[in-house]
Short mmCIF file of all heavy atoms in Angstrom, two decimals:
data_model
loop_
_atom_site.label_atom_id
_atom_site.label_comp_id
_atom_site.label_asym_id
_atom_site.label_seq_id
_atom_site.Cartn_x
_atom_site.Cartn_y
_atom_site.Cartn_z
N MET A 1 0.84 -1.18 0.00
CA MET A 1 0.00 0.00 0.00
C MET A 1 0.89 1.24 0.00
O MET A 1 1.84 1.34 0.77
CB MET A 1 -0.91 -0.03 1.23
CG MET A 1 -1.81 1.18 1.34
SD MET A 1 -2.69 1.21 2.90
CE MET A 1 -4.32 1.03 2.34
N PRO A 2 0.57 2.24 -0.85
CA PRO A 2 1.41 3.44 -0.89
C PRO A 2 1.26 4.28 0.37
O PRO A 2 0.24 4.23 1.05
CB PRO A 2 0.88 4.19 -2.12
CG PRO A 2 -0.48 3.67 -2.32
CD PRO A 2 -0.51 2.26 -1.81
N PHE A 3 2.28 5.03 0.64
CA PHE A 3 2.27 5.93 1.81
C PHE A 3 1.32 7.10 1.52
O PHE A 3 1.40 7.74 0.50
CB PHE A 3 3.68 6.44 2.08
CG PHE A 3 3.76 7.34 3.26
CD1 PHE A 3 3.66 6.83 4.54
CD2 PHE A 3 3.92 8.70 3.09
CE1 PHE A 3 3.73 7.67 5.64
CE2 PHE A 3 4.00 9.54 4.19
CZ PHE A 3 3.90 9.03 5.45
N VAL A 4 0.42 7.37 2.45
CA VAL A 4 -0.54 8.46 2.29
C VAL A 4 -0.31 9.47 3.41
O VAL A 4 -0.17 9.09 4.56
CB VAL A 4 -1.99 7.92 2.35
CG1 VAL A 4 -2.99 9.06 2.24
CG2 VAL A 4 -2.21 6.88 1.27
N TYR A 5 -0.30 10.73 3.10
CA TYR A 5 -0.11 11.77 4.11
C TYR A 5 -1.01 12.96 3.78
O TYR A 5 -1.47 13.12 2.67
CB TYR A 5 1.35 12.20 4.22
CG TYR A 5 1.93 12.72 2.93
CD1 TYR A 5 1.87 14.06 2.62
CD2 TYR A 5 2.55 11.86 2.04
CE1 TYR A 5 2.40 14.54 1.45
CE2 TYR A 5 3.08 12.32 0.85
CZ TYR A 5 3.00 13.67 0.56
OH TYR A 5 3.53 14.14 -0.60
N ASP A 6 -1.22 13.79 4.76
CA ASP A 6 -2.03 14.98 4.60
C ASP A 6 -1.11 16.14 4.26
O ASP A 6 -0.15 16.42 4.98
CB ASP A 6 -2.78 15.25 5.91
CG ASP A 6 -3.79 16.37 5.78
OD1 ASP A 6 -3.83 17.03 4.73
OD2 ASP A 6 -4.52 16.58 6.75
N LEU A 7 -1.39 16.84 3.16
CA LEU A 7 -0.54 17.96 2.76
C LEU A 7 -0.45 19.04 3.83
O LEU A 7 0.56 19.72 3.97
CB LEU A 7 -1.07 18.58 1.47
CG LEU A 7 -0.89 17.75 0.21
CD1 LEU A 7 -1.56 18.44 -0.97
CD2 LEU A 7 0.57 17.51 -0.08
N ALA A 8 -1.52 19.19 4.62
CA ALA A 8 -1.52 20.21 5.67
C ALA A 8 -0.47 19.93 6.74
O ALA A 8 -0.10 20.83 7.50
CB ALA A 8 -2.90 20.31 6.30
N ASP A 9 0.04 18.69 6.83
CA ASP A 9 1.06 18.35 7.81
C ASP A 9 2.47 18.75 7.36
O ASP A 9 3.39 18.72 8.15
CB ASP A 9 1.04 16.84 8.09
CG ASP A 9 -0.22 16.42 8.82
OD1 ASP A 9 -0.84 17.28 9.49
OD2 ASP A 9 -0.59 15.24 8.72
N LEU A 10 2.62 19.11 6.10
CA LEU A 10 3.93 19.53 5.62
C LEU A 10 4.25 20.92 6.18
O LEU A 10 3.38 21.78 6.27
CB LEU A 10 3.95 19.57 4.09
CG LEU A 10 3.74 18.21 3.41
CD1 LEU A 10 3.68 18.40 1.91
CD2 LEU A 10 4.85 17.25 3.78
N PRO A 11 5.51 21.17 6.56
CA PRO A 11 5.86 22.41 7.25
C PRO A 11 5.56 23.69 6.46
O PRO A 11 5.15 24.68 7.04
CB PRO A 11 7.35 22.28 7.53
CG PRO A 11 7.82 21.08 6.85
CD PRO A 11 6.63 20.28 6.39
N ASP A 12 5.78 23.71 5.16
CA ASP A 12 5.61 24.94 4.38
C ASP A 12 4.36 24.92 3.51
O ASP A 12 4.27 25.68 2.55
CB ASP A 12 6.84 25.17 3.50
CG ASP A 12 8.08 25.42 4.33
OD1 ASP A 12 7.94 25.99 5.42
OD2 ASP A 12 9.17 25.02 3.89
N TYR A 13 3.40 24.07 3.84
CA TYR A 13 2.21 23.94 3.00
C TYR A 13 1.22 25.08 3.26
O TYR A 13 0.91 25.40 4.40
CB TYR A 13 1.49 22.62 3.25
CG TYR A 13 0.22 22.48 2.46
CD1 TYR A 13 0.28 22.20 1.11
CD2 TYR A 13 -1.01 22.67 3.05
CE1 TYR A 13 -0.88 22.08 0.36
CE2 TYR A 13 -2.18 22.57 2.31
CZ TYR A 13 -2.11 22.27 0.97
OH TYR A 13 -3.25 22.17 0.23
N THR A 14 0.75 25.70 2.21
CA THR A 14 -0.34 26.66 2.30
C THR A 14 -1.41 26.21 1.30
O THR A 14 -1.09 25.90 0.16
CB THR A 14 0.09 28.10 1.96
OG1 THR A 14 0.70 28.11 0.68
CG2 THR A 14 1.06 28.64 2.99
N PRO A 15 -2.66 26.13 1.72
CA PRO A 15 -3.70 25.65 0.82
C PRO A 15 -3.89 26.62 -0.35
O PRO A 15 -3.70 27.83 -0.19
CB PRO A 15 -4.95 25.60 1.69
CG PRO A 15 -4.68 26.51 2.83
CD PRO A 15 -3.20 26.51 3.02
N PRO A 16 -4.26 26.10 -1.51
CA PRO A 16 -4.50 27.00 -2.64
C PRO A 16 -5.70 27.88 -2.36
O PRO A 16 -6.65 27.47 -1.70
CB PRO A 16 -4.76 26.04 -3.81
CG PRO A 16 -5.18 24.77 -3.16
CD PRO A 16 -4.50 24.72 -1.83
N LYS A 17 -5.68 29.11 -2.83
CA LYS A 17 -6.78 30.04 -2.59
C LYS A 17 -7.86 29.86 -3.65
O LYS A 17 -8.05 30.71 -4.53
CB LYS A 17 -6.24 31.47 -2.54
CG LYS A 17 -5.34 31.69 -1.35
CD LYS A 17 -4.90 33.12 -1.23
CE LYS A 17 -4.05 33.27 0.03
NZ LYS A 17 -3.66 34.63 0.29
N ILE A 18 -8.53 28.72 -3.54
CA ILE A 18 -9.63 28.39 -4.45
C ILE A 18 -10.87 28.08 -3.61
O ILE A 18 -10.77 27.84 -2.40
CB ILE A 18 -9.28 27.19 -5.35
CG1 ILE A 18 -8.91 25.98 -4.50
CG2 ILE A 18 -8.18 27.56 -6.35
CD1 ILE A 18 -8.66 24.72 -5.28
N CYS A 19 -12.03 28.10 -4.24
CA CYS A 19 -13.28 27.91 -3.50
C CYS A 19 -13.29 26.64 -2.66
O CYS A 19 -13.80 26.63 -1.54
CB CYS A 19 -14.46 27.91 -4.46
SG CYS A 19 -14.78 29.53 -5.18
N GLY A 20 -12.76 25.55 -3.18
CA GLY A 20 -12.79 24.27 -2.47
C GLY A 20 -12.07 24.28 -1.14
O GLY A 20 -12.33 23.44 -0.29
N SER A 21 -11.16 25.23 -0.91
CA SER A 21 -10.44 25.30 0.36
C SER A 21 -10.86 26.50 1.20
O SER A 21 -10.22 26.83 2.19
CB SER A 21 -8.92 25.34 0.11
OG SER A 21 -8.57 26.53 -0.56
N CYS A 22 -11.96 27.15 0.84
CA CYS A 22 -12.44 28.34 1.54
C CYS A 22 -13.51 27.96 2.57
O CYS A 22 -14.32 27.06 2.34
CB CYS A 22 -13.03 29.32 0.53
SG CYS A 22 -13.72 30.82 1.26
N VAL A 23 -13.55 28.67 3.69
CA VAL A 23 -14.54 28.39 4.73
C VAL A 23 -15.95 28.75 4.27
O VAL A 23 -16.93 28.25 4.81
CB VAL A 23 -14.23 29.12 6.05
CG1 VAL A 23 -12.93 28.65 6.64
CG2 VAL A 23 -14.25 30.62 5.88
N HIS A 24 -16.09 29.60 3.26
CA HIS A 24 -17.40 30.01 2.78
C HIS A 24 -18.02 29.02 1.78
O HIS A 24 -19.19 29.10 1.46
CB HIS A 24 -17.32 31.38 2.10
CG HIS A 24 -16.81 32.45 3.00
ND1 HIS A 24 -17.46 32.86 4.15
CD2 HIS A 24 -15.68 33.21 2.94
CE1 HIS A 24 -16.77 33.81 4.74
NE2 HIS A 24 -15.67 34.03 4.03
N PHE A 25 -17.21 28.08 1.28
CA PHE A 25 -17.67 27.13 0.26
C PHE A 25 -18.41 25.97 0.90
O PHE A 25 -17.91 25.34 1.83
CB PHE A 25 -16.47 26.59 -0.53
CG PHE A 25 -16.86 25.66 -1.65
CD1 PHE A 25 -17.42 26.14 -2.80
CD2 PHE A 25 -16.63 24.30 -1.53
CE1 PHE A 25 -17.76 25.29 -3.84
CE2 PHE A 25 -16.97 23.44 -2.56
CZ PHE A 25 -17.54 23.93 -3.71
N LYS A 26 -19.60 25.68 0.42
CA LYS A 26 -20.42 24.56 0.91
C LYS A 26 -20.57 23.56 -0.24
O LYS A 26 -21.20 23.84 -1.25
CB LYS A 26 -21.80 25.03 1.36
CG LYS A 26 -21.76 26.13 2.41
CD LYS A 26 -21.00 25.69 3.64
CE LYS A 26 -20.99 26.82 4.66
NZ LYS A 26 -19.80 26.90 5.44
N GLN A 27 -19.95 22.40 -0.06
CA GLN A 27 -19.98 21.34 -1.07
C GLN A 27 -21.39 20.79 -1.22
O GLN A 27 -22.11 20.66 -0.25
CB GLN A 27 -19.03 20.21 -0.63
CG GLN A 27 -18.88 19.09 -1.61
CD GLN A 27 -18.03 19.50 -2.79
OE1 GLN A 27 -16.95 20.05 -2.63
NE2 GLN A 27 -18.51 19.23 -3.99
N HIS A 28 -21.78 20.46 -2.45
CA HIS A 28 -23.06 19.81 -2.71
C HIS A 28 -22.84 18.30 -2.81
O HIS A 28 -21.80 17.86 -3.30
CB HIS A 28 -23.69 20.32 -4.00
CG HIS A 28 -24.19 21.72 -3.89
ND1 HIS A 28 -24.88 22.32 -4.91
CD2 HIS A 28 -24.11 22.64 -2.89
CE1 HIS A 28 -25.22 23.55 -4.54
NE2 HIS A 28 -24.74 23.77 -3.33
N TYR A 29 -23.81 17.53 -2.34
CA TYR A 29 -23.72 16.07 -2.32
C TYR A 29 -24.97 15.47 -2.95
O TYR A 29 -26.01 16.11 -3.02
CB TYR A 29 -23.59 15.55 -0.88
CG TYR A 29 -22.31 15.95 -0.22
CD1 TYR A 29 -22.20 17.17 0.45
CD2 TYR A 29 -21.20 15.13 -0.26
CE1 TYR A 29 -21.01 17.54 1.05
CE2 TYR A 29 -20.01 15.50 0.35
CZ TYR A 29 -19.93 16.70 1.00
OH TYR A 29 -18.76 17.07 1.60
N VAL A 30 -24.86 14.21 -3.36
CA VAL A 30 -25.99 13.45 -3.87
C VAL A 30 -26.02 12.11 -3.13
O VAL A 30 -24.97 11.58 -2.75
CB VAL A 30 -25.88 13.25 -5.40
CG1 VAL A 30 -24.69 12.39 -5.78
CG2 VAL A 30 -27.16 12.69 -5.96
N LEU A 31 -27.21 11.61 -2.87
CA LEU A 31 -27.37 10.32 -2.20
C LEU A 31 -27.43 9.24 -3.26
O LEU A 31 -28.28 9.28 -4.15
CB LEU A 31 -28.67 10.35 -1.37
CG LEU A 31 -28.91 9.18 -0.43
CD1 LEU A 31 -27.84 9.11 0.63
CD2 LEU A 31 -30.28 9.32 0.21
N ASN A 32 -26.52 8.25 -3.19
CA ASN A 32 -26.51 7.21 -4.20
C ASN A 32 -27.42 6.05 -3.81
O ASN A 32 -28.09 6.08 -2.77
CB ASN A 32 -25.08 6.73 -4.50
CG ASN A 32 -24.43 5.97 -3.37
OD1 ASN A 32 -25.08 5.59 -2.39
ND2 ASN A 32 -23.13 5.75 -3.49
N GLU A 33 -27.45 5.02 -4.64
CA GLU A 33 -28.35 3.88 -4.43
C GLU A 33 -28.03 3.07 -3.17
O GLU A 33 -28.86 2.31 -2.68
CB GLU A 33 -28.36 2.97 -5.66
CG GLU A 33 -27.04 2.30 -5.98
CD GLU A 33 -26.06 3.18 -6.74
OE1 GLU A 33 -26.44 4.27 -7.20
OE2 GLU A 33 -24.89 2.78 -6.87
N LYS A 34 -26.84 3.25 -2.61
CA LYS A 34 -26.44 2.56 -1.37
C LYS A 34 -26.64 3.45 -0.14
O LYS A 34 -26.10 3.17 0.91
CB LYS A 34 -24.98 2.12 -1.46
CG LYS A 34 -24.71 1.12 -2.55
CD LYS A 34 -23.24 0.77 -2.58
CE LYS A 34 -22.94 -0.18 -3.72
NZ LYS A 34 -21.50 -0.48 -3.79
N ASN A 35 -27.41 4.51 -0.29
CA ASN A 35 -27.66 5.49 0.78
C ASN A 35 -26.37 6.11 1.31
O ASN A 35 -26.24 6.35 2.51
CB ASN A 35 -28.47 4.88 1.92
CG ASN A 35 -29.93 4.79 1.60
OD1 ASN A 35 -30.42 5.49 0.70
ND2 ASN A 35 -30.65 3.96 2.30
N GLN A 36 -25.42 6.36 0.42
CA GLN A 36 -24.17 7.02 0.77
C GLN A 36 -24.14 8.39 0.08
O GLN A 36 -24.55 8.50 -1.07
CB GLN A 36 -22.97 6.21 0.31
CG GLN A 36 -22.90 4.83 0.91
CD GLN A 36 -21.84 3.98 0.21
OE1 GLN A 36 -21.62 4.10 -0.99
NE2 GLN A 36 -21.20 3.12 0.99
N PHE A 37 -23.66 9.39 0.79
CA PHE A 37 -23.53 10.70 0.17
C PHE A 37 -22.22 10.77 -0.60
O PHE A 37 -21.16 10.42 -0.09
CB PHE A 37 -23.56 11.81 1.24
CG PHE A 37 -24.93 12.05 1.78
CD1 PHE A 37 -25.31 11.55 3.01
CD2 PHE A 37 -25.85 12.78 1.04
CE1 PHE A 37 -26.58 11.78 3.50
CE2 PHE A 37 -27.12 13.01 1.52
CZ PHE A 37 -27.49 12.51 2.76
N ARG A 38 -22.30 11.23 -1.84
CA ARG A 38 -21.13 11.40 -2.70
C ARG A 38 -21.04 12.86 -3.10
O ARG A 38 -22.05 13.47 -3.46
CB ARG A 38 -21.25 10.54 -3.96
CG ARG A 38 -21.32 9.06 -3.69
CD ARG A 38 -20.01 8.58 -3.16
NE ARG A 38 -20.08 7.14 -2.96
CZ ARG A 38 -19.10 6.45 -2.48
NH1 ARG A 38 -17.97 7.03 -2.14
NH2 ARG A 38 -19.22 5.16 -2.31
N PRO A 39 -19.85 13.46 -3.03
CA PRO A 39 -19.73 14.88 -3.38
C PRO A 39 -19.90 15.10 -4.89
O PRO A 39 -19.46 14.30 -5.70
CB PRO A 39 -18.31 15.24 -2.94
CG PRO A 39 -17.58 13.94 -2.91
CD PRO A 39 -18.59 12.88 -2.59
N LEU A 40 -20.58 16.17 -5.23
CA LEU A 40 -20.67 16.61 -6.62
C LEU A 40 -19.51 17.57 -6.88
O LEU A 40 -18.84 18.03 -5.96
CB LEU A 40 -22.00 17.33 -6.86
CG LEU A 40 -23.25 16.48 -6.70
CD1 LEU A 40 -24.49 17.35 -6.85
CD2 LEU A 40 -23.26 15.36 -7.72
N TRP A 41 -19.28 17.91 -8.14
CA TRP A 41 -18.19 18.81 -8.49
C TRP A 41 -18.51 20.25 -8.07
O TRP A 41 -17.63 21.08 -7.97
CB TRP A 41 -17.90 18.74 -9.98
CG TRP A 41 -16.77 19.61 -10.40
CD1 TRP A 41 -16.85 20.73 -11.17
CD2 TRP A 41 -15.40 19.49 -10.05
NE1 TRP A 41 -15.63 21.31 -11.34
CE2 TRP A 41 -14.71 20.55 -10.65
CE3 TRP A 41 -14.69 18.59 -9.28
CZ2 TRP A 41 -13.33 20.72 -10.50
CZ3 TRP A 41 -13.33 18.77 -9.15
CH2 TRP A 41 -12.66 19.81 -9.76
N TYR A 42 -19.77 20.55 -7.77
CA TYR A 42 -20.16 21.92 -7.47
C TYR A 42 -20.60 22.11 -6.03
O TYR A 42 -20.88 21.16 -5.33
CB TYR A 42 -21.29 22.36 -8.41
CG TYR A 42 -20.84 22.43 -9.82
CD1 TYR A 42 -21.05 21.39 -10.71
CD2 TYR A 42 -20.14 23.54 -10.28
CE1 TYR A 42 -20.59 21.45 -12.00
CE2 TYR A 42 -19.68 23.61 -11.57
CZ TYR A 42 -19.91 22.56 -12.44
OH TYR A 42 -19.45 22.63 -13.71
N GLY A 43 -20.68 23.36 -5.62
CA GLY A 43 -21.17 23.75 -4.32
C GLY A 43 -21.65 25.19 -4.43
O GLY A 43 -21.88 25.69 -5.52
N HIS A 44 -21.78 25.84 -3.29
CA HIS A 44 -22.16 27.25 -3.32
C HIS A 44 -21.37 28.02 -2.28
O HIS A 44 -20.78 27.45 -1.37
CB HIS A 44 -23.67 27.43 -3.12
CG HIS A 44 -24.13 27.14 -1.73
ND1 HIS A 44 -24.51 25.88 -1.33
CD2 HIS A 44 -24.26 27.93 -0.65
CE1 HIS A 44 -24.86 25.93 -0.05
NE2 HIS A 44 -24.72 27.14 0.38
N CYS A 45 -21.39 29.33 -2.43
CA CYS A 45 -20.63 30.23 -1.57
C CYS A 45 -21.59 30.97 -0.65
O CYS A 45 -22.61 31.48 -1.09
CB CYS A 45 -19.86 31.21 -2.45
SG CYS A 45 -18.93 32.44 -1.53
N ASP A 46 -21.26 31.04 0.64
CA ASP A 46 -22.08 31.79 1.58
C ASP A 46 -22.01 33.30 1.34
O ASP A 46 -22.92 34.04 1.70
CB ASP A 46 -21.64 31.52 3.02
CG ASP A 46 -22.13 30.17 3.52
OD1 ASP A 46 -23.03 29.59 2.90
OD2 ASP A 46 -21.58 29.69 4.53
N VAL A 47 -20.92 33.78 0.75
CA VAL A 47 -20.77 35.21 0.48
C VAL A 47 -21.61 35.59 -0.74
O VAL A 47 -22.34 36.57 -0.72
CB VAL A 47 -19.29 35.59 0.26
CG1 VAL A 47 -19.16 37.05 -0.13
CG2 VAL A 47 -18.49 35.30 1.51
N TYR A 48 -21.48 34.82 -1.81
CA TYR A 48 -22.27 35.05 -3.02
C TYR A 48 -23.46 34.10 -2.99
O TYR A 48 -23.49 33.08 -3.68
CB TYR A 48 -21.44 34.79 -4.28
CG TYR A 48 -20.30 35.76 -4.46
CD1 TYR A 48 -18.99 35.32 -4.53
CD2 TYR A 48 -20.55 37.12 -4.57
CE1 TYR A 48 -17.95 36.21 -4.70
CE2 TYR A 48 -19.51 38.02 -4.74
CZ TYR A 48 -18.22 37.55 -4.81
OH TYR A 48 -17.19 38.43 -4.98
N LEU A 49 -24.44 34.39 -2.18
CA LEU A 49 -25.58 33.49 -1.98
C LEU A 49 -26.24 33.12 -3.30
O LEU A 49 -26.54 33.96 -4.12
CB LEU A 49 -26.60 34.14 -1.05
CG LEU A 49 -26.12 34.35 0.38
CD1 LEU A 49 -27.18 35.08 1.18
CD2 LEU A 49 -25.78 33.04 1.04
N GLY A 50 -26.45 31.83 -3.45
CA GLY A 50 -27.13 31.32 -4.63
C GLY A 50 -26.24 31.11 -5.83
O GLY A 50 -26.65 30.49 -6.79
N LYS A 51 -25.01 31.60 -5.83
CA LYS A 51 -24.13 31.42 -6.97
C LYS A 51 -23.46 30.06 -6.89
O LYS A 51 -22.82 29.72 -5.91
CB LYS A 51 -23.08 32.52 -7.03
CG LYS A 51 -22.21 32.40 -8.27
CD LYS A 51 -21.27 33.56 -8.43
CE LYS A 51 -20.47 33.36 -9.69
NZ LYS A 51 -19.37 34.26 -9.80
N ILE A 52 -23.61 29.27 -7.94
CA ILE A 52 -22.99 27.95 -8.00
C ILE A 52 -21.51 28.12 -8.34
O ILE A 52 -21.16 28.84 -9.28
CB ILE A 52 -23.68 27.07 -9.06
CG1 ILE A 52 -25.17 26.93 -8.74
CG2 ILE A 52 -23.00 25.71 -9.16
CD1 ILE A 52 -25.47 26.25 -7.42
N GLN A 53 -20.66 27.46 -7.58
CA GLN A 53 -19.22 27.56 -7.75
C GLN A 53 -18.62 26.17 -7.97
O GLN A 53 -19.09 25.20 -7.39
CB GLN A 53 -18.56 28.15 -6.50
CG GLN A 53 -19.08 29.48 -6.05
CD GLN A 53 -18.52 30.60 -6.86
OE1 GLN A 53 -19.18 31.08 -7.76
NE2 GLN A 53 -17.33 31.01 -6.55
N ALA A 54 -17.58 26.10 -8.76
CA ALA A 54 -16.77 24.89 -8.87
C ALA A 54 -15.68 24.99 -7.81
O ALA A 54 -15.26 26.10 -7.45
CB ALA A 54 -16.16 24.77 -10.26
N PRO A 55 -15.21 23.86 -7.28
CA PRO A 55 -14.16 23.90 -6.25
C PRO A 55 -12.88 24.60 -6.70
O PRO A 55 -12.11 25.08 -5.88
CB PRO A 55 -13.89 22.44 -5.94
CG PRO A 55 -15.09 21.71 -6.40
CD PRO A 55 -15.67 22.50 -7.54
N THR A 56 -12.65 24.68 -8.02
CA THR A 56 -11.43 25.30 -8.52
C THR A 56 -11.61 26.78 -8.85
O THR A 56 -10.65 27.43 -9.24
CB THR A 56 -10.95 24.56 -9.78
OG1 THR A 56 -12.02 24.50 -10.72
CG2 THR A 56 -10.47 23.17 -9.44
N ASP A 57 -12.82 27.32 -8.69
CA ASP A 57 -13.04 28.76 -8.88
C ASP A 57 -12.37 29.52 -7.74
O ASP A 57 -11.97 28.93 -6.73
CB ASP A 57 -14.53 29.09 -8.88
CG ASP A 57 -15.26 28.57 -10.11
OD1 ASP A 57 -14.59 28.24 -11.11
OD2 ASP A 57 -16.50 28.50 -10.06
N HIS A 58 -12.26 30.83 -7.89
CA HIS A 58 -11.70 31.65 -6.81
C HIS A 58 -12.33 33.03 -6.85
O HIS A 58 -12.88 33.46 -7.85
CB HIS A 58 -10.17 31.75 -6.92
CG HIS A 58 -9.71 32.28 -8.23
ND1 HIS A 58 -9.58 33.62 -8.49
CD2 HIS A 58 -9.37 31.65 -9.37
CE1 HIS A 58 -9.17 33.79 -9.72
NE2 HIS A 58 -9.03 32.62 -10.29
N CYS A 59 -12.28 33.73 -5.70
CA CYS A 59 -12.83 35.07 -5.62
C CYS A 59 -12.06 35.86 -4.57
O CYS A 59 -11.29 35.29 -3.80
CB CYS A 59 -14.33 35.03 -5.30
SG CYS A 59 -14.72 34.78 -3.57
N PRO A 60 -12.28 37.17 -4.49
CA PRO A 60 -11.54 37.98 -3.51
C PRO A 60 -11.95 37.76 -2.06
O PRO A 60 -11.28 38.25 -1.16
CB PRO A 60 -11.84 39.42 -3.96
CG PRO A 60 -13.10 39.33 -4.73
CD PRO A 60 -13.11 37.98 -5.37
N ASN A 61 -13.03 37.02 -1.82
CA ASN A 61 -13.49 36.79 -0.45
C ASN A 61 -12.96 35.50 0.15
O ASN A 61 -13.44 35.07 1.20
CB ASN A 61 -15.03 36.77 -0.42
CG ASN A 61 -15.61 38.09 -0.78
OD1 ASN A 61 -15.24 39.11 -0.22
ND2 ASN A 61 -16.48 38.10 -1.77
N TRP A 62 -11.95 34.89 -0.46
CA TRP A 62 -11.40 33.63 0.04
C TRP A 62 -10.89 33.82 1.46
O TRP A 62 -10.21 34.78 1.79
CB TRP A 62 -10.26 33.14 -0.84
CG TRP A 62 -9.73 31.82 -0.42
CD1 TRP A 62 -10.18 30.60 -0.81
CD2 TRP A 62 -8.64 31.57 0.49
NE1 TRP A 62 -9.44 29.61 -0.20
CE2 TRP A 62 -8.51 30.18 0.61
CE3 TRP A 62 -7.80 32.39 1.21
CZ2 TRP A 62 -7.54 29.58 1.41
CZ3 TRP A 62 -6.83 31.80 2.03
CH2 TRP A 62 -6.71 30.41 2.11
N THR A 63 -11.27 32.88 2.35
CA THR A 63 -10.82 32.92 3.74
C THR A 63 -10.41 31.51 4.16
O THR A 63 -11.12 30.56 3.86
CB THR A 63 -11.97 33.39 4.66
OG1 THR A 63 -12.45 34.63 4.18
CG2 THR A 63 -11.50 33.54 6.08
N GLU A 64 -9.29 31.41 4.84
CA GLU A 64 -8.79 30.11 5.27
C GLU A 64 -9.59 29.57 6.43
O GLU A 64 -9.98 30.22 7.34
CB GLU A 64 -7.32 30.22 5.67
CG GLU A 64 -6.68 28.90 5.96
CD GLU A 64 -5.19 29.03 6.16
OE1 GLU A 64 -4.65 30.14 6.12
OE2 GLU A 64 -4.55 28.01 6.35
#
């Protein structure tokens, strides 16, 4: 099995300033046939209410 680690544990790691790593981003999920939630590629932003965002989008309101 390959070694797995969390990038946040690296000493000089800073998360990318994209929607997917912002505290304002709320991921959207779908319930599959096994009653498991699976993330969709999209979510929404609490700052821009109602605007659909991709995790790789970015805006000036990014907050860690």
Side-chain angles (χ1 to χ4, degrees):
M1 179 187 245
F3 181 74
V4 178
Y5 58 91
D6 188 354
L7 289 176
D9 292 336
L10 297 176
D12 296 328
Y13 177 76
T14 56
K17 293 185 178 184
I18 57 175
C19 290
S21 65
C22 178
V23 297
H24 301 297
F25 183 74
K26 305 302 180 214
Q27 184 74 49
H28 289 185
Y29 294 87
V30 66
L31 189 63
N32 69 11
E33 64 278 351
K34 297 179 183 178
N35 282 340
Q36 300 169 325
F37 285 102
R38 298 292 182 182
L40 296 175
W41 181 248
Y42 294 97
H44 71 271
C45 177
D46 284 344
V47 176
Y48 295 120
L49 294 176
K51 184 173 181 192
I52 302 297
Q53 304 281 100
T56 53
D57 290 343
H58 56 87
C59 80
N61 295 308
W62 183 88
T63 306
E64 187 172 3

